[in-house]
């Protein structure tokens, strides 16, 4: 990491961002997993981001200038975020960075943005550590202490679970954090964690751990991972006859969950940031425009959060009256009650957004809205 920082800081001697009195489009950088294991995260985010930028430009842009989006693919791989964010800042002179979805990848890029005084807004990374990196790092979504509580209460109150197994991706900051916050709340609710096991994101065979989980006889299993692994875990659990409810967090959200998991994910539950059936006028308008823009595709939470990251940035640029990093930072920090697609956004003193979560259930291969949980 230190060597990447060194490149960002000493690779060019001018300060990061654009030259003073620049004209022409305002460059905004985006880093996203457009390919690889979490490709649907990046693809959906990019659709939301692109649409927001197009709408803002069609309405005249910001500060009398158009926004220009520069997108880099992190390939769902560690190491890439640092490389591509350095490029966006040092080579392209972007004034802000949008991304990533996966917390581990946001955590890799955040120190570079912080060091360069280029504001970074993660649309949907939920691990608390992301914004703790520094005062230039923001997010427009809730964090996992809340999400963990939401699913622990759901397990206790709705599923009536007394004993839960937790199955965590040992390579993911998101998974480890969400597992921890879930456990704390579930135990505080009087529940027991019967067994806790790990896998490594990208594994193909989960049968050894699932056999041990089955032997512990839990009422439900919590899998705070990403969709490919979660789907395979549900498939193999079904093959082993482990027929209890499985629950996850926002990392389950992908059309691939159902494609890979088929009937093994039917009936399972997860929490996330957005559902097209609920929400404000703003959210309904977004749904309509998104379907028009992306060939009838229904937006997911990634698209909605990414869209929100752009409109929050554009609004901050307007209030700042400049693209200057420190001033844009201050304007972002002052975001109050801003009507966005995923809810009203107020950036708190930790640079996080406190917002409601929704709980969904897989029903007939679709995501059915069950309930909204306010913070
Ligand atoms: N919250 C997840 C993380 O921090 C990313 C994610 C967000 C995945 C929304 C799906 C939907 O890693």
């Amino acid at each position: 990491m230190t060597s990447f920082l060194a490149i960002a800081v000493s690779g060019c001697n001018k300060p990061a961002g654009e030259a003073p009195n620049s004209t022409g489009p305002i460059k905004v950088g985006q880093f996203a997993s457009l390919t690889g294991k979490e490709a649907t995260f990046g693809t959906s985010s990019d659709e939301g981001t692109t649409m927001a930028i197009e709408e803002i430009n069609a309405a005249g842009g910001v500060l009398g200038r158009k926004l220009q989006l520069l997108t880099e693919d992190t390939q769902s791989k560690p190491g890439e975020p640092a490389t591509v964010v350095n490029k966006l800042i040092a080579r392209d002179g972007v004034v802000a960075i949008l991304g990533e979805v996966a917390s581990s990848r946001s955590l890799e890029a955040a120190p570079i943005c912080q060091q360069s005084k280029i504001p970074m807004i993660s649309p949907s990374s939920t691990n608390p550590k992301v914004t703790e990196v520094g005062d230039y790092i923001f997010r427009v979504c809730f964090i996992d202490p809340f999400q963990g509580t939401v699913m622990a209460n759901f397990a206790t109150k709705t599923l009536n679970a007394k004993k839960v197994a937790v199955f965590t991706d040992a390579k993911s900051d998101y998974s480890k954090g969400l597992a921890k916050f879930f456990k704390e709340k579930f135990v505080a609710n009087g529940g027991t964690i019967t067994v806790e096991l790990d896998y490594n994101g990208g594994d193909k065979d989960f049968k050894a751990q699932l056999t041990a989980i089955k032997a512990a006889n839990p009422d439900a299993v919590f899998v705070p991972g990403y969709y490919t692994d979660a789907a395979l875990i549900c498939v193999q659990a079904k093959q082993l006859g482990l027929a209890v409810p499985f629950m996850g967090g926002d990392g389950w959200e992908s059309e691939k969950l159902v494609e890979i998991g088929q009937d093994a994910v039917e009936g399972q539950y997860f929490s996330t940031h957005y559902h097209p059936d609920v929400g404000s006028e703003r959210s309904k308008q977004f749904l309509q425009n998104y379907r028009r823009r992306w060939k009838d595709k229904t937006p997911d939470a990634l698209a909605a959060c990414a869209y929100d990251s752009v409109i929050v940035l554009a609004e901050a640029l307007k209030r700042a009256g400049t693209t200057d990093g420190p001033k844009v930072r201050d304007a972002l920090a002052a975001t109050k009650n801003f009507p966005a697609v995923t809810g009203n956004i107020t950036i708190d003193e930790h640079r996080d957004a406190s917002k409601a979560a929704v709980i969904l259930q897989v029903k007939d291969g679709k995501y059915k809205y069950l309930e909204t949980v306010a913070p």
Side-chain angles (χ1 to χ4, degrees):
M1 186 70 75
T2 352
S3 61
F4 287 118
L5 291 183
I7 298 166
V9 178
S10 67
C12 51
N13 291 325
K14 63 178 174 55
E18 57 180 26
N21 306 319
S22 291
T23 52
I26 298 173
K27 289 181 187 170
V28 175
Q30 173 181 233
F31 68 121
S33 54
L34 297 171
T35 57
K37 246 174 0 95
E38 282 91 47
T40 71
F41 289 172
T43 306
S44 290
S45 297
D46 184 49
E47 288 167 359
T49 306
T50 300
M51 189 176 111
I53 300 245
E54 287 171 357
E55 286 179 1
I56 290 163
N57 285 341
V62 170
L63 308 177
R65 300 164 65 189
K66 295 279 158 83
L67 297 179
Q68 182 188 355
L69 180 65
L70 295 142
T71 301
E72 292 284 342
D73 182 8
T74 61
Q75 302 167 44
S76 308
K77 278 192 209 149
E80 288 302 317
T83 307
V84 300
V85 166
N86 259 315
K87 265 199 241 167
L88 288 167
I89 294 176
R91 178 197 63 189
D92 299 323
V94 299
V95 307
I97 294 276
L98 305 171
E100 230 252 24
V101 169
S103 290
S104 295
R105 293 195 283 272
S106 288
L107 278 165
E108 197 182 306
I112 298 165
C113 298
Q114 178 66 28
Q115 195 83 15
S116 314
K117 297 192 165 61
I118 293 297
M120 167 177 145
I121 310 176
S122 168
S124 45
S125 285
T126 47
N127 187 280
K129 289 186 291 186
V130 172
T131 49
E132 285 166 13
V133 168
D135 61 351
Y136 279 81
I137 316 300
F138 297 85
R139 77 180 104 217
V140 292
C141 57
F142 57 65
I143 55 173
D144 287 331
F146 171 63
Q147 184 168 213
T149 299
V150 166
M151 288 317 280
N153 288 342
F154 180 78
T156 304
K157 293 177 191 156
T158 307
L159 299 183
N160 233 323
K162 306 277 180 265
K163 296 181 298 172
V164 167
V166 178
F167 196 19
T168 309
D169 178 355
K171 283 209 273 192
S172 151
D173 292 288
Y174 159 72
S175 192
K176 288 184 285 183
L178 187 52
K180 170 173 172 276
F181 302 120
F182 173 90
K183 283 186 283 179
E184 285 169 4
K185 183 63 183 175
F186 188 68
V187 169
N189 286 347
T192 308
I193 305 294
T194 43
V195 57
E196 248 184 276
L197 289 165
D198 284 352
Y199 63 92
N200 286 314
D203 284 353
K204 295 282 170 273
D205 185 351
F206 303 91
K207 290 216 168 114
Q209 298 98 312
L210 288 168
T211 302
I213 290 174
K214 191 181 175 201
N217 197 25
D219 301 324
V221 183
F222 186 53
V223 184
Y226 295 145
Y227 60 89
T228 310
D229 304 322
L232 287 175
I233 287 168
C234 289
V235 167
Q236 293 174 23
K238 191 175 163 106
Q239 287 163 359
L240 290 171
L242 176 51
V244 297
F246 276 65
M247 303 171 284
D250 53 353
W252 280 33
E253 175 142 11
S254 169
E255 74 255 17
K256 293 275 177 210
L257 182 86
V258 173
E259 238 176 85
I260 302 167
Q262 301 277 335
D263 56 343
V265 298
E266 186 66 22
Q268 315 297 20
Y269 307 93
F270 64 96
S271 50
T272 189
H273 308 262
Y274 161 88
H275 188 279
D277 287 357
V278 287
S280 57
E281 269 317 303
R282 188 88 188 74
S283 159
K284 288 190 193 119
Q285 203 181 69
F286 167 74
L287 174 64
Q288 258 180 22
N289 294 342
Y290 191 92
R291 285 194 171 140
R292 196 173 314 130
R293 176 63 180 86
W294 300 109
K295 303 193 175 75
D296 282 337
K297 191 172 165 185
T298 298
D300 60 15
L302 291 310
C305 288
Y307 181 93
D308 283 351
S309 71
V310 178
I311 61 176
V312 164
L313 173 64
E315 169 71 16
L317 284 167
K318 282 183 205 159
R319 273 190 282 109
T322 166
T323 60
D324 181 44
K327 298 212 173 78
V328 177
R329 192 221 78 85
D330 290 346
L332 281 169
T335 303
K336 289 271 168 312
N337 214 13
F338 178 72
V341 169
T342 56
N344 280 357
I345 295 179
T346 294
I347 298 293
D348 69 16
E349 71 271 32
H350 306 292
R351 295 168 300 284
D352 304 326
S354 151
K355 285 191 317 197
V358 292
I359 301 179
L360 311 185
Q361 180 176 31
V362 185
K363 203 74 208 272
D364 304 321
K366 302 232 162 13
Y367 299 137
K368 183 181 163 215
Y369 166 76
L370 293 187
E371 59 178 294
T372 299
V373 185

